[in-house]
Amino acid sequence: MIEELSDRIWGHPEFHAQRAGLGGMWLQRELGIDPTLSVSDADLLRCVQAATVLALSESHERQGAAYGIAACAAGLDREDLPGLAGVLRIVLSRLGNFPALGSAPHVETFRRLPLLTALAEEVRREGNRVSLGDVSVDLTDFQRHLWRELDGGANVSVSAPTSAGKSFVLQAYLRSLARSGKLSVACYIVPSRALIAQVTDAVAAWRRSDELRDFRIVNTPLPAETRLPERAIYVLTQERLQAIMGSHPGFVADVVISDEAQGIEDGSRGVLLQDVVDQLIAKRPGAQFIFAGPNIRDPEVFGRIFDLSDLRPVSTRSPAVLQNLIVVKTRSPRQKLVIERMAADGRQELGQVEVGMPLPSIKERLVRVAERFGQSKPSIVYANGPKEAEDIALGLMEVSTADASESPRIAELIALIKAAVHDQYDLVRCLEKQVGFHYGRIPAIVRRGVEAAFADGDIKYLVTTSTLIQGVNFPAANLFACKPKKGNAGPLGTAEFWNLAGRAGRLGREFQGNVFLIDYDDWETKPADEGNEVDVQSALKRTLGSKLDDVVECAVAAVPKLERPEVVDIEATFGRLLADLGSGRLNATLDRCGVAQDDRGRLVEALERARERITLPREVLAKSPTVSPLRQQRLADYFEAEIKGGGIARLEELLPRHPRDEDAWKYLSEVFRVCHEQLMSLDVPRLHLRMAAIALKWMQGKQLPDIIEEYRRRSPDVKLRPAIRNTLKDIEEEIRFRYFRLSLCYLAVLEHVLVRTGHEDYIRSLPPLPGFLEVGASDPTMISFVGLGISRFVASFLTEQTLDKRMDEPTALAWLRAQDLDAMLGSGLMRLDVQRALANAPIP
């Protein structure tokens, strides 16, 4: 009966015309465009009544239409229209979207529903309600379905729009397990450090609330000498997880969550993600494995990738928040913005807006369009890279009429930025006009300060880069994009675009968000035309499908090529296959990747030839899974030849020194030179000298202003703005990633060679260089503070306040708890940083 009525409504052209008019009228009102579209009260009520029927349909498209009607009707300020609030409540309840009721107070508080309708809503709501500690939470239908599968202990693959609340349910599930005593160790894998911080803060909040005193939160690699906690939630990138598994071979987990699991496509990082998950499955097949990603067409793909035949898919296409796609054309000769709404049946012109000037550049278009349409609500502007983000933010600063210079919150953030980065950093000037920018290289404490200020409304515009695609959650109502790219990797793919678009609109705060596609017709690709469902293929399978010849060539090459990003991706696949050959898993891996029998013979032959050239043990190679085994062997051969030819004197030249050693720079320069030559096949004169100087100051705990000045001293022709940006890049992408990876391999191979050549007594003198590079510290006390979750900037300050520079984490934690933080730390943001770490620490 309902489906028949739904079919009649859906097949009526007048209904679609009225629905389009309602959506267009709402957007004209929202965007401040002269009203040319209107819907009468009678037509509005008819649309909403139709939505009550469509909300009961099994069709995702019709459910989406019902939600869109309710969202627009709720935003037209017609609360006095008899019965409207009640009908809207019925629509949202029938959709099972109870969190959305909070977006419209007049709908949420409406209580005059007919008795049977009210009872039906309460029954539906009770079915969607779960208890989390002392509070009960009403979930959407999708969230409820996911919760039930998780609570039943199933392996699950989750696919839903970005704003559907996947991560909320995953974290709530861990909380439920921890409270009930059913959880010992969980591993929550995320793609970035920024997401580590967000998830850690969320877990720490409920752990403190529930007084789970024996639960640790671990988000940094633990050295081999540190005992693993018996009960813990590990929040890690795949690189940090691999480091823990390398130093603690017995590491296992009861629950493994891979959030933003579509990252399995991402080159060498995707291969590493697949490798660590495969290892966890092999170690504990009975553990619960959960994969979550946005808009994945076939969520069962993870069952095939990881050979989990019992994986249950949970997916939805129904929006929890509606994203309006709005095309803004800036190229009119009359210097007007032409505004169009994109819909499934074509475009609807909403009107034209005077701009009064030509807009030839992407920066000018983003600035002027955001200025015109983004002032009333929190707005994100997407930039293609850090430089572009700074430039666009400066442009928004110029046109902004806001003045936040007297705001205590902004003043405190500015003072922190001057001390933590540089007193002339452009972010300082931008914040005074309620404009911020955000990218992955900015120090964590500054990023968090900017995020909090934006969330609380102290920043009106936030310009951000592809960190937004990696799952970082910002509470924005508007998103502006013009020819978006992911750095130098080219235009955004379909999956990346829809993940980005999903950042507009916040479940429980707005019914819908606005995505402004500026000059969309001129974009190199048209991701919005392709639908929001995407296919996922593992990087391992894609490489073997399209670049198998390159993998074979890599295995048989006499001398490794220059290590460029695309070469690293191919060599990561080669390294994984060689490890599988040694463990007897190769055929299973090739089966899962669909490698044809005709190709297997030459691939296996190439791998066998490579294995014959490698004498390094498997456990040594496994410590650096993204470095080609042939490069590692080349380094080992170099070490042995140098020690044999140069004796003890040469051997000692190859040993890094502690960063506090007066000769540390000389020896670190040699380590980097050897890495360039033997591991990267790189010949750039003096690069090792410059990078060693910056890395040394970083490991010594020096603050960024000092490191930036070191960069300027060595590169006097570089102006301040690029010097700051380049220093941040050197630290985050080079020192904390590339040189961390290289030094990890360097020390693993060196230790093996020292044993082989009878010089194992030197091993105890080797400093933990990779850890120093990752943390940015070498004093045990500062390392302990960072290990507790304190930002490097604050940890350096705290270290200066104590005479004991050799505190371990328990001692450092006890010292912190004994301090008067208000007296010691003048900055509220610094105190908040320490308080966050104390909240994450073991509860006494």
Side-chain angles (χ1 to χ4, degrees), residues 518-660:
I518 300 173
D519 292 321
Y520 179 73
D521 295 331
D522 296 334
W523 289 17
E524 187 175 334
T525 59
K526 303 293 187 293
D529 295 351
E530 299 179 23
N532 65 354
E533 286 192 314
V534 296
D535 295 311
V536 170
Q537 185 179 61
S538 73
L540 190 64
K541 181 175 182 178
R542 186 177 64 249
T543 300
L544 288 173
S546 62
K547 298 183 179 179
L548 188 140
D549 290 343
D550 293 327
V551 176
V552 170
E553 181 184 354
C554 164
V556 300
V559 178
K561 296 180 179 179
L562 172 65
E563 195 188 61
R564 300 185 304 274
E566 60 272 22
V567 173
V568 173
D569 293 346
I570 293 167
E571 291 184 345
T573 296
F574 161 60
R576 166 64 192 261
L577 296 180
L578 193 65
D580 286 347
L581 177 65
S583 63
R585 299 179 300 173
L586 181 60
N587 282 331
T589 297
L590 297 181
D591 287 343
R592 280 191 271 165
C593 292
V595 177
Q597 289 295 331
D598 292 345
D599 291 323
R600 292 195 185 196
R602 61 194 182 94
L603 179 60
V604 172
E605 180 185 358
L607 293 171
E608 290 284 9
R609 288 173 59 185
R611 184 164 66 170
E612 292 173 0
R613 297 161 55 192
I614 296 172
T615 60
L616 286 170
R618 191 185 309 166
E619 58 271 19
V620 174
L621 297 173
K623 292 180 179 179
S624 305
T626 62
V627 178
S628 165
L630 291 173
R631 293 185 192 272
Q632 296 189 51
Q633 185 62 52
R634 182 188 188 194
L635 179 62
D637 294 342
Y638 174 83
F639 282 149
E640 292 204 25
E642 291 292 293
I643 293 171
K644 181 178 179 180
I648 296 299
R650 178 56 180 150
L651 183 154
E652 293 184 351
E653 290 175 356
L654 296 170
L655 305 177
R657 301 296 194 267
H658 190 279
R660 294 293 184 189

Side-chain angles (χ1 to χ4, degrees), residues 12 20 31 37 65 99 120 138 158 168 208 227 337 345 409 425 440 453 564-565 615 619 652 697 737 756 790 815 832:
H12 205 298
L31 303 181
L37 302 169
D138 294 336
V158 191
F168 172 81
R208 172 71 60 173
R227 183 179 177 181
L337 303 178
D345 56 351
R409 171 77 169 273
Y425 193 31
R564 300 185 304 274
T615 60
E619 58 271 19
E652 293 184 351
K697 283 187 176 291
F737 184 76
R756 270 184 53 87
I790 296 172
W815 182 86
L832 183 62

Side-chain angles (χ1 to χ4, degrees), residues 407-564:
S407 164
R409 171 77 169 273
I410 294 296
E412 185 176 53
L413 181 54
I414 286 174
L416 175 73
I417 292 168
K418 288 181 177 180
V421 183
H422 199 280
D423 59 3
Q424 296 182 55
Y425 193 31
D426 285 331
L427 187 54
V428 169
R429 290 192 293 149
C430 291
L431 287 173
E432 293 174 349
K433 292 290 189 176
Q434 290 190 297
V435 176
F437 56 78
H438 180 291
Y439 46 81
R441 302 168 188 171
I442 296 175
I445 189 172
V446 175
R447 283 204 316 269
R448 283 178 168 176
V450 169
E451 291 164 8
F454 183 66
D456 293 341
D458 294 290
I459 295 175
K460 291 171 57 177
Y461 292 103
L462 184 62
V463 188
T464 185
T465 62
S466 57
T467 52
L468 195 62
I469 301 172
Q470 296 177 327
V472 178
N473 187 31
F474 295 120
N478 301 312
L479 173 74
F480 298 87
C482 183
K483 299 183 180 180
K485 298 180 180 180
K486 190 176 180 181
N488 296 321
L492 292 187
T494 303
E496 293 165 333
F497 169 80
W498 286 109
N499 201 359
L500 176 67
R503 306 299 166 185
R506 303 158 291 183
L507 180 60
R509 299 180 69 169
E510 286 119 7
F511 284 112
Q512 47 194 327
N514 300 319
V515 183
F516 294 85
L517 312 178
I518 300 173
D519 292 321
Y520 179 73
D521 295 331
D522 296 334
W523 289 17
E524 187 175 334
T525 59
K526 303 293 187 293
D529 295 351
E530 299 179 23
N532 65 354
E533 286 192 314
V534 296
D535 295 311
V536 170
Q537 185 179 61
S538 73
L540 190 64
K541 181 175 182 178
R542 186 177 64 249
T543 300
L544 288 173
S546 62
K547 298 183 179 179
L548 188 140
D549 290 343
D550 293 327
V551 176
V552 170
E553 181 184 354
C554 164
V556 300
V559 178
K561 296 180 179 179
L562 172 65
E563 195 188 61
R564 300 185 304 274

Side-chain angles (χ1 to χ4, degrees), residues 100-345:
L101 288 171
S103 303
H106 69 286
V107 176
E108 185 177 32
T109 57
F110 186 85
R111 293 289 182 269
R112 299 190 304 276
L113 292 175
L115 178 60
L116 291 179
T117 303
L119 288 174
E121 177 191 314
E122 189 54 34
V123 169
R124 184 75 178 272
R125 182 190 294 268
E126 188 62 31
N128 282 27
R129 182 171 292 154
V130 297
S131 177
L132 302 176
D134 299 329
V135 298
S136 294
V137 178
D138 294 336
L139 304 177
T140 66
D141 279 3
F142 157 72
Q143 290 175 318
R144 177 202 60 197
H145 181 197
L146 173 57
W147 179 272
R148 289 177 178 174
E149 292 290 358
L150 295 173
D151 200 40
N155 294 327
V156 176
S157 179
V158 191
S159 170
T162 298
S163 54
K166 303 181 293 295
S167 297
F168 172 81
V169 176
L170 297 179
Q171 293 165 26
Y173 174 61
L174 289 183
R175 180 180 186 180
S176 175
L177 290 179
R179 280 177 57 87
S180 64
K182 297 177 181 178
L183 180 67
S184 294
V185 175
C187 184
Y188 199 114
I189 309 172
V190 296
S192 67
R193 295 190 190 101
L195 263 184
I196 286 178
Q198 284 197 357
V199 175
T200 296
D201 287 348
V203 172
W206 58 252
R207 191 198 65 162
R208 172 71 60 173
S209 175
D210 295 345
E211 294 190 349
L212 297 170
R213 298 178 179 274
D214 56 344
F215 251 100
R216 286 275 308 277
I217 303 173
V218 179
N219 52 27
T220 57
L222 298 178
E225 60 271 15
T226 300
R227 183 179 177 181
L228 296 178
E230 293 184 4
R231 303 190 73 195
I233 295 176
Y234 292 78
V235 186
L236 306 161
T237 60
Q238 55 263 49
E239 289 83 7
R240 293 187 180 187
L241 175 57
Q242 189 275 328
I244 284 184
M245 295 172 70
S247 57
H248 297 273
F251 176 84
V252 293
D254 307 310
V255 178
V256 177
I257 297 173
S258 178
D259 204 356
E260 302 293 326
Q262 72 279 6
I264 201 162
E265 293 191 307
D266 295 342
S268 61
R269 296 197 75 214
V271 174
L272 182 59
L273 175 59
Q274 182 170 350
D275 193 52
V276 294
V277 173
D278 273 337
Q279 290 183 54
L280 290 172
I281 292 173
K283 289 181 176 183
R284 182 165 288 182
Q288 185 177 24
F289 291 87
I290 303 160
F291 306 92
N295 302 312
I296 297 171
R297 191 187 317 278
D298 177 17
E300 293 180 271
V301 66
F302 293 104
R304 297 189 293 274
I305 290 172
F306 293 106
D307 197 23
L308 294 170
S309 58
D310 58 346
L311 190 74
R312 296 188 185 180
V314 177
S315 62
T316 183
R317 293 175 58 194
S318 298
V321 176
L322 185 68
Q323 273 88 38
N324 298 304
L325 300 182
I326 303 165
V327 175
V328 181
K329 299 179 179 179
T330 71
R331 312 304 296 276
S332 167
R334 294 184 294 167
Q335 297 183 356
K336 290 185 177 183
L337 303 178
V338 180
I339 316 301
E340 297 176 342
R341 175 188 180 215
M342 289 185 70
D345 56 351

Side-chain angles (χ1 to χ4, degrees), residues 763-808:
I763 292 176
R764 68 173 66 94
S765 70
L766 294 175
L769 193 61
F772 293 168
L773 291 169
E774 162 72 12
V775 172
S778 52
D779 288 329
T781 294
M782 185 172 171
I783 292 172
S784 294
F785 285 143
V786 174
L788 290 170
I790 296 172
S791 69
R792 180 182 179 274
F793 170 73
V794 178
S796 176
F797 179 86
L798 292 172
T799 302
E800 293 176 0
Q801 308 305 307
T802 175
L803 292 175
D804 187 354
K805 308 300 184 188
R806 303 200 61 79
M807 288 193 283
D808 59 12

